[in-house]
Amino acid sequence: MAEYGILTGQRVAVIWDRSSPLEALKSLVDKLQKLAGDESHVSVENINQLLQSAHKESTFDVVLSGLVPGSTILHSTEILAEIARILRPGGQVLLKEPVETTSIHENKVKTAAKLCSILKLSGLVEVKELQKESLTPEEVQSVQEHLGYQSDSLVSVQVIGKKPNFEVGSSTQLKLSFPKKSAISEKPAVDPNAAKLWTLSANDMNDDGMDLIDSDELLDPEDLKKPDPASLRTASCGEGAKRKACKNCTCGLAEELEQEKMKEQKRSQPKSACGNCYLGDAFRCASCPYLGMPAFKPGEKIILNEKNLHDA
């Protein structure tokens, strides 16, 4: 395998920023073009323009970021996700970034563990640190000038990761093995003796030694008598000064009291002297209590106001 893991014919993307020295960037690109075997196979992208680039998914075999000598690139979560998107399945990313050895300033500069975690969350696998080394004087100056950051616990770390051998959203057919139908359809053998015990034939029904009992003969004359409704009532049903059926009455007292109530309401209704009250005012006499009310059907319940029952 050649330097940076690049083989002839592979497409390579080099990511740089304003901290990258131009001469060092040009020297790195020339070296990569020789490794790839074609100038058109190496693309140079500014990190600030990467998200607006027109690169399609799965474009590059290798992505190198922050590897220009003297550069100090900080990779955001969005940049790492975009790098994973433009990588081909099985492609490789190699990046270099200044990190903190402590988590005091991790809001500004990440730790090496945090950087590896974000790479994994971006969809890369086999993420690991290749090496850690102290910052060169040029890199220390670049951090102060371009990042506005100063710390004595900064180191430079190189991390490598790979994209899985499948694209996001891809699918494949699962090969499932099922037992043969013949094996499923086979029924267990039945013991003839056990089957005979549970078989009832016509000959068994006509056996002279078998006595069949008539169910009507099991009933006594008392069982055929209609019970007295009073005997069906519970001890507390209907007791007291005021007859009242118990809740969920089943002895018939509730129906009996309802019929008595309807008869009482019918008796309390005013009786017609002429028998034409239900026909309407045209057929009613001058003293009719229904005068001024609409016609109604014979037997229909009519409720009169108190003032209708007195003479005007």
Side-chain angles (χ1 to χ4, degrees), residues 253-270:
L253 180 60
E255 291 80 359
E256 182 180 341
L257 295 178
E258 183 66 22
Q259 291 179 359
E260 293 180 359
K261 182 178 180 181
M262 292 178 62
K263 292 179 180 179
E264 183 64 25
Q265 290 178 349
K266 190 174 181 180
R267 285 195 298 267
S268 64
Q269 288 290 329

Side-chain angles (χ1 to χ4, degrees), residues 11 53-60 82-88 163 167:
R11 297 203 61 183
S53 65
H55 296 301
K56 297 181 180 180
E57 295 181 357
S58 307
T59 301
F60 299 101
E82 179 65 12
I83 291 175
R85 186 188 72 85
I86 63 178
L87 266 179
R88 288 177 178 173
K163 189 171 183 177
E167 191 56 82

Side-chain angles (χ1 to χ4, degrees), residues 10-15 40-45 50 53-64 82-92 163:
Q10 288 185 328
R11 297 203 61 183
V12 183
V14 180
I15 300 175
S40 63
H41 287 176
V42 179
S43 298
V44 182
E45 290 288 346
L50 182 62
S53 65
H55 296 301
K56 297 181 180 180
E57 295 181 357
S58 307
T59 301
F60 299 101
D61 299 289
V62 180
V63 175
L64 305 178
E82 179 65 12
I83 291 175
R85 186 188 72 85
I86 63 178
L87 266 179
R88 288 177 178 173
Q92 175 179 278
K163 189 171 183 177

Side-chain angles (χ1 to χ4, degrees), residues 266 275-279 295-302:
K266 190 174 181 180
N276 297 327
C277 296
Y278 69 93
L279 296 176
F296 55 88
K297 296 179 181 180
E300 184 178 358
K301 181 180 179 181
I302 302 298

Side-chain angles (χ1 to χ4, degrees), residues 29 120 207:
V29 172
K120 294 176 181 178
D207 190 359

Side-chain angles (χ1 to χ4, degrees), residues 86-302:
I86 63 178
L87 266 179
R88 288 177 178 173
Q92 175 179 278
V93 57
L94 179 63
L95 58 85
K96 184 179 179 181
E97 180 175 332
V99 297
E100 280 280 3
T101 55
T102 62
S103 59
I104 299 176
H105 305 287
E106 64 176 346
N107 289 334
K108 176 77 174 182
V109 178
K110 298 182 285 293
T111 62
K114 182 69 173 180
L115 178 60
C116 292
S117 176
I118 296 176
L119 282 169
K120 294 176 181 178
L121 293 175
S122 300
L124 300 181
V125 296
E126 301 181 25
V127 177
K128 58 183 178 181
E129 298 179 21
L130 292 182
Q131 64 179 10
K132 277 184 181 180
E133 56 187 8
S134 301
L135 297 179
T136 63
E138 294 79 7
E139 291 173 340
V140 172
Q141 183 179 358
S142 177
V143 169
Q144 294 175 356
E145 292 180 358
H146 299 97
L147 302 180
Y149 186 82
Q150 187 174 0
S151 175
D152 296 331
S153 58
L154 284 177
V155 296
S156 178
V157 63
Q158 287 190 21
V159 180
I160 190 173
K162 291 184 178 181
K163 189 171 183 177
N165 291 323
F166 55 86
E167 191 56 82
V168 176
S170 59
S171 61
T172 184
Q173 184 177 3
L174 297 178
K175 296 182 180 179
L176 303 177
S177 59
F178 296 96
K180 296 181 179 179
K181 292 184 178 180
S182 59
I184 298 177
S185 59
E186 290 181 359
K187 296 182 179 179
V190 179
D191 185 3
N193 295 327
K196 186 176 181 181
L197 291 175
W198 295 98
T199 303
L200 184 64
S201 65
N203 295 331
D204 295 330
M205 298 298 295
N206 296 327
D207 190 359
D208 295 336
M210 180 180 293
D211 295 332
L212 298 180
I213 300 176
D214 186 1
S215 58
D216 293 338
E217 295 180 358
L218 300 177
L219 298 175
D220 296 331
E222 294 293 331
D223 298 329
L224 301 177
K225 292 181 178 180
K226 185 177 181 179
D228 183 10
S231 64
L232 300 177
R233 298 178 182 176
T234 60
S236 60
C237 189
E239 292 184 353
K242 185 177 180 180
R243 297 180 66 196
K244 184 178 180 181
C246 58
K247 188 177 181 181
N248 300 326
C249 177
T250 58
C251 65
L253 180 60
E255 291 80 359
E256 182 180 341
L257 295 178
E258 183 66 22
Q259 291 179 359
E260 293 180 359
K261 182 178 180 181
M262 292 178 62
K263 292 179 180 179
E264 183 64 25
Q265 290 178 349
K266 190 174 181 180
R267 285 195 298 267
S268 64
Q269 288 290 329
K271 294 183 180 180
S272 174
C274 61
N276 297 327
C277 296
Y278 69 93
L279 296 176
D281 286 348
F283 301 90
R284 293 169 182 163
C285 56
S287 61
C288 182
Y290 296 102
L291 195 64
M293 299 183 66
F296 55 88
K297 296 179 181 180
E300 184 178 358
K301 181 180 179 181
I302 302 298

Side-chain angles (χ1 to χ4, degrees), residues 13-65:
V14 180
I15 300 175
W16 63 283
D17 72 344
R18 61 193 180 97
S19 68
S20 305
L22 296 181
E23 291 297 328
L25 174 61
K26 186 177 182 302
S27 175
L28 176 62
V29 172
D30 291 340
K31 184 186 297 186
L32 296 175
Q33 288 175 348
K34 293 178 181 179
L35 294 175
D38 194 335
E39 294 183 1
S40 63
H41 287 176
V42 179
S43 298
V44 182
E45 290 288 346
N46 186 289
I47 193 169
N48 296 321
Q49 301 298 323
L50 182 62
L51 296 177
Q52 287 77 34
S53 65
H55 296 301
K56 297 181 180 180
E57 295 181 357
S58 307
T59 301
F60 299 101
D61 299 289
V62 180
V63 175
L64 305 178
S65 181

